[in-house]
Amino acid sequence: AGEPRTLIDFDWHRADLPGDVEPGAAVEITLALPSMPAPGAYLVAIDLVVEGMTWFAERGSRTAALGIVVRA
């Protein structure tokens, strides 16, 4: 099952979509992520949010996951 994960920052980075995206449609965005706080292995979960209402994952949508390893 692996080692337990520790949440570092729930709201680490945000990027805007180019506009409204209809259900079933797709858009491609480029993210320039901030640096990680320290060397180690990280899992970045990318989720969409309706500001002030909900995160999509809270409503059953899958997040995109990106594994990142930072070396000293």
Side-chain angles (χ1 to χ4, degrees), residues 38-43 68-70:
Y42 297 88
L43 178 66
I68 298 174
V69 175
V70 177

Side-chain angles (χ1 to χ4, degrees), residues 43-63:
L43 178 66
V44 175
I46 300 171
D47 193 7
L48 296 174
V49 64
V50 177
E51 291 295 344
M53 295 184 71
T54 190
W55 291 89
F56 279 44
E58 292 176 350
R59 303 292 177 114
S61 181
R62 291 188 307 153
T63 61

